[in-house]
Amino acid sequence: MEEIVKTEGLTKRYKSVLSVSDLSMRVKEGRIYGFLGPNGAGKTTTLKMLLDLVHPTSGEIFIFGKRLGKDTRREILKNTGSLIESPSFYGHLTGYENLRILQTILDIPEKNIDEVLKIVRLDKQRSKKASAYSLGMKQRLGLAGALLSFPKLLILDEPTNGLDPSGIQEMRELIKALPKQYGMTVIVSSHLLSEIDRMAEDVGIIANGKMMYQGSIESLHEIDRSKSLEEIFLDLTGKEQSL
């Protein structure tokens, strides 16, 4: 199976703080990759480097088989959608109008707006002002924006943050459907182990900027059948955090 994302020795240092250290990530095509770790582990910094929003101190990033750099940045990002941190919108505009602005900037067909609103189940609230949207609706509108170009790669950073249980379940089901229905590869970060376990097929566990485990969810369970997944996670992340 082809690797859509590959990093080699990816490192980011902010003065004396090492945020990401020698990270090697492997994301397979057409699968959901859960990027898991405690808060402050380096997840968001890593995802921002994949999107060229943060420049690595050292290391290399390959996406769609191409090394991310000045010459390839535009082509790679054209096929990549993202939702990093909380989405922001113009509150005085409707959900549709907010997406219309993004659609114009991206220079993609206007019909895509109707399609993504249906995918995220906001088609009946398309004419409602964004300021009147609930938190869950705003998260789904953010996902709609990330899906607008129907990208090959979708990068989502903590997409269930702040949602109630029903909102979390709805977001989870939306994300799970994307690879099968649209052939997308999804990277989704979270500090919630239970969500990644229900959503992802592969997982990378990071602690203090270092990759502590990478492989299938099934293989993670097999590390120690006498322990719960939470206990395995704490073993993997706790050891590194205590160093």
Side-chain angles (χ1 to χ4, degrees):
M1 189 176 293
E2 184 182 352
E3 291 173 344
I4 289 288
V5 175
K6 181 172 74 171
T7 71
E8 298 286 358
L10 193 61
T11 299
K12 181 62 182 179
R13 182 182 290 276
Y14 293 99
K15 295 183 179 180
S16 61
V17 178
L18 189 61
S19 179
V20 177
S21 177
D22 195 30
L23 196 75
S24 292
M25 176 186 278
R26 301 288 186 270
V27 181
K28 296 174 183 176
E29 183 178 13
R31 292 170 73 88
I32 297 177
Y33 181 99
F35 196 36
L36 189 65
N39 289 324
K43 300 187 300 297
T44 298
T45 299
T46 299
L47 298 186
K48 286 183 175 180
M49 285 192 283
L50 296 183
L51 292 165
D52 206 34
L53 298 173
V54 169
H55 296 295
T57 303
S58 60
E60 294 183 311
I61 299 169
F62 297 89
I63 300 178
F64 311 129
K66 297 179 172 64
R67 184 182 181 276
L68 180 61
K70 287 190 298 183
D71 296 337
T72 59
R73 180 183 187 275
R74 185 179 181 86
E75 182 182 355
I76 289 172
L77 295 183
K78 184 177 68 175
N79 292 297
T80 303
S82 64
L83 178 58
I84 301 292
E85 298 171 339
S86 298
S88 58
F89 304 103
Y90 295 105
H92 65 289
L93 299 180
T94 66
Y96 187 94
E97 290 168 339
N98 272 280
L99 293 179
R100 182 77 169 88
I101 292 172
L102 186 56
Q103 171 261 324
T104 302
I105 293 170
L106 295 173
D107 191 25
I108 52 181
E110 189 174 352
K111 66 179 178 63
N112 287 23
I113 301 175
D114 294 321
E115 293 181 39
V116 297
L117 283 172
K118 287 179 182 177
I119 292 171
V120 302
R121 300 164 199 161
L122 282 177
D123 46 314
K124 294 181 180 178
Q125 286 85 29
R126 55 187 286 145
S127 299
K128 181 185 265 188
K129 288 186 177 180
S131 59
Y133 278 16
S134 67
L135 179 57
M137 290 168 67
K138 287 178 180 177
Q139 285 293 91
R140 283 187 279 148
L141 187 60
L143 179 58
L147 294 171
L148 201 52
S149 65
F150 287 90
K152 296 178 183 176
L153 173 64
L154 183 64
I155 297 176
L156 306 173
D157 186 24
E158 301 273 7
T160 60
N161 253 7
L163 300 184
D164 60 23
S166 64
I168 290 173
Q169 181 179 2
E170 187 170 29
M171 182 65 73
R172 182 203 313 143
E173 295 306 315
L174 285 171
I175 293 169
K176 284 174 66 176
L178 296 174
K180 290 181 181 178
Q181 293 186 12
Y182 303 99
M184 294 181 191
T185 302
V186 183
I187 300 175
V188 54
S189 81
S190 181
H191 63 278
L192 299 174
L193 177 59
S194 59
E195 278 309 302
I196 293 299
D197 190 30
R198 294 175 184 176
M199 189 189 311
E201 298 153 290
D202 302 310
V203 64
I205 296 178
I206 186 175
N208 285 350
K210 296 182 179 180
M211 190 74 85
M212 307 307 296
Y213 170 87
Q214 186 165 222
S216 68
I217 285 285
E218 291 83 357
S219 296
L220 182 62
H221 282 278
E222 291 292 340
I223 288 177
D224 190 337
R225 279 291 177 184
S226 69
K227 294 184 176 181
S228 68
L229 206 55
E230 287 77 11
E231 289 173 320
I232 294 171
F233 174 75
L234 288 173
D235 285 346
L236 289 168
T237 58
K239 288 175 184 175
E240 177 60 27
Q241 289 179 315
S242 66
L243 294 178

